[in-house]
Amino acid sequence: MNDAGWESICPFEVLEVERGATVLAHGRAVAIFRTHDDRLFALGNHDPFSGASVLARGIVGTRGDIPFVASPMHKHAFDLRSGQCLDDESVHVASYDVRVVEGVVEVGPRRELA
């Protein structure tokens, strides 16, 4: 782990566009997504509806201006920016800060709910 809780993960170029990848960051399974416009997002990989660790295998899309991933299990959509479920306001998954430093993807600490 490097400065202020950021953990180096992988080179940016190995992440496929519009696909997720599961990494181990801060001792947890984290799903990282690279969207078509090269933005990065990081969510907990655990689908709270099915109990399976599968969100990185979900389908990436948009609802209006909201980038989301749909779980491959029951198709619930989660906002990539916050982890909020778009189909059930009472449910969310963990979200993490993510950045690229000198071509390397880094995951920061878990975000607090707004």
Side-chain angles (χ1 to χ4, degrees), residues 3-15:
D3 63 7
W6 290 88
E7 188 168 340
S8 296
I9 300 300
C10 65
F12 176 76
E13 69 267 9
V14 303
L15 295 176

Side-chain angles (χ1 to χ4, degrees), residues 40-86:
L40 291 176
F41 300 95
L43 299 179
N45 195 41
H46 182 258
D47 176 351
F49 293 99
S50 69
S53 292
V54 294
L55 287 186
R57 297 174 59 195
I59 297 171
V60 175
T62 57
R63 278 192 192 171
D65 294 334
I66 301 172
F68 74 91
V69 60
S71 173
M73 298 300 287
H74 301 295
K75 312 301 183 219
H76 292 96
F78 296 90
D79 186 331
L80 288 173
R81 302 168 302 176
S82 66
Q84 179 64 53
C85 180
L86 300 176

